[in-house]
Amino acid sequence: MTFTLMIVFGTLVGGYVIASLLLFKFPNIIHARKRIKFKCRHISHRGGAGENYENTIVAFRRAVEAGTDMLELDCHLTKDGYVVVSHDHNLLRSTGVDCNISQINFKDLPLLKTELPLDFDPDYTFIGSGREEERRFVLLQEVFHNFPQVPINIDIKVDSDILIQKVCELIVQYRREEYTVWGNFSDSVTKKCYKVNPQVNLLFSMKRVVHLLILLYTGLLPFFPLKETHLEIFLPSIYLSRRRNNPSAAYLPLHTVLVRTMDALLMKKCLFEHLTKRGIHTYLWVLNYEDEFKKAFELGATGVMTDYPSKLKKFLKDNPQYQ
């Protein structure tokens, strides 16, 4: 009896493994490929924070002129209810004024500083022309109006039902459901986005990334449907390489272990290829150097998010195999 059970169990396990491997290689046997209307190799982070004042109309315009495929931006709600494009909720870093966007009317927002450090290139500070028209905050509505055909990636920065609803209304007003991606690391925010409008392309939240990895390493991923359309994750190894280039960087040993673990678990070409076959796009952020661009595309990433649109554009031109 025991021997028979072992044979049955072995047969079931073997069948499961074979089915998992087969469907991982050919997921469209049971999953219809998602029909996303665009493909983006070149994504400008905050409009290209290394070449223009971040999240401004000038940055977005110049990134589009440089040939970017997608604009990435962040949204907050002002005191008088306008959806404004800004990464930070507090204005101290970007303007020098210690005030939250939610506490001030849109018309009273201060100008950006003439010099802005880059979050993902900490040794560099962007220094622009200083002209006022280049340093003003912009409304999401203005971005939609000026770039009707450009895919836009929106990070909903705070868990606000009003903000999510207003962003949704603008997406619908400008008929951008198929050319917009939205969500946040927060699972709560991303779930609300999906509930409000499931027709808009959706990001994986951090919680869903963890679920994705559990499904991958248990062999269950090929059997599960995924509502998300875009996986946006950072390339962990770049932080280790930047540490080597900058020994004074404040990395704790535990931090290094975590980064190495994330790199080993997440950066799997087989995972990216599987998602691609299911029509899900994978973007790696925020990459600012040629070796990082090369590694991302060799891993099978659909696109790269950068602070330097011109630099990434040149890389793609010089390396047509990655276009």
Side-chain angles (χ1 to χ4, degrees), residues 30-261:
I30 59 174
H31 299 291
R33 182 182 175 89
K34 295 180 185 295
R35 301 296 180 184
I36 298 173
K37 292 294 183 69
F38 56 85
K39 181 179 180 180
C40 299
R41 302 296 274 173
H42 184 299
I43 304 138
S44 294
H45 178 244
R46 304 183 196 175
E51 297 178 356
N52 290 283
Y53 291 109
E54 65 181 51
N55 277 325
T56 61
I57 199 70
V58 173
F60 299 140
R61 184 177 297 118
R62 290 176 179 171
V64 171
E65 289 172 354
T68 196
D69 300 316
M70 171 182 274
L71 299 173
E72 186 274 344
L73 53 82
D74 316 273
C75 285
H76 289 282
L77 205 61
T78 61
K79 182 180 179 181
D80 50 350
Y82 286 95
V83 180
V84 68
V85 179
S86 172
H87 178 269
D88 301 349
H89 180 51
N90 185 275
L91 296 169
L92 183 61
R93 178 192 69 89
S94 60
T95 71
V97 178
D98 190 5
C99 179
N100 293 335
I101 288 177
S102 60
Q103 298 172 324
I104 191 169
N105 292 331
F106 176 70
K107 67 179 181 63
D108 297 322
L109 288 172
L111 297 174
L112 295 174
K113 291 178 180 177
T114 57
E115 301 181 10
L116 285 175
L118 268 67
D119 289 342
F120 294 95
D121 196 354
D123 294 329
Y124 179 79
T125 297
F126 172 73
I127 304 174
S129 67
R131 288 194 290 266
E132 290 190 2
E133 64 269 22
E134 294 187 16
R135 296 189 289 129
R136 73 174 184 87
F137 284 87
V138 64
L139 296 173
L140 180 61
Q141 183 173 356
E142 294 179 71
V143 180
F144 283 174
H145 175 76
N146 280 277
F147 309 104
Q149 303 300 320
V150 180
I152 294 177
N153 186 313
I154 301 175
D155 189 349
I156 304 292
K157 298 301 291 187
V158 294
D159 191 348
S160 165
D161 293 349
I162 298 175
L163 174 60
I164 292 170
Q165 184 60 46
K166 290 202 171 191
V167 171
C168 179
E169 290 171 0
L170 288 171
I171 291 172
V172 173
Q173 178 185 341
Y174 285 88
R175 300 179 181 179
R176 291 195 52 92
E177 289 95 333
E178 294 181 321
Y179 291 92
T180 303
V181 187
W182 68 345
N184 184 263
F185 282 154
S186 164
D187 195 56
S188 173
V189 171
T190 306
K191 281 181 177 178
K192 289 179 180 179
C193 289
Y194 186 73
K195 183 177 181 180
V196 166
N197 193 335
Q199 303 307 312
V200 182
N201 296 295
L202 190 69
L203 297 171
F204 280 82
S205 67
M206 181 58 71
K207 182 178 180 180
R208 288 286 291 169
V209 171
V210 173
H211 288 172
L212 186 69
L213 289 177
I214 292 172
L215 292 174
L216 172 66
Y217 287 102
T218 57
L220 290 169
L221 179 58
F223 304 101
F224 274 73
L226 299 169
K227 65 179 181 294
E228 294 86 357
T229 59
H230 289 75
L231 175 66
E232 292 185 7
I233 49 179
F234 78 105
L235 182 58
S237 62
I238 68 172
Y239 296 95
L240 296 175
S241 63
R242 289 176 187 176
R243 181 193 180 192
R244 287 193 296 270
N245 296 332
N246 182 13
S248 63
Y251 278 75
L252 298 175
L254 179 59
H255 189 168
T256 301
V257 171
L258 289 174
V259 170
R260 290 188 184 280
T261 301

Side-chain angles (χ1 to χ4, degrees), residues 294-309:
K294 184 174 184 289
K295 180 166 185 177
F297 288 124
E298 287 184 346
L299 280 169
T302 310
V304 164
M305 196 176 296
T306 185
D307 286 317
Y308 300 97

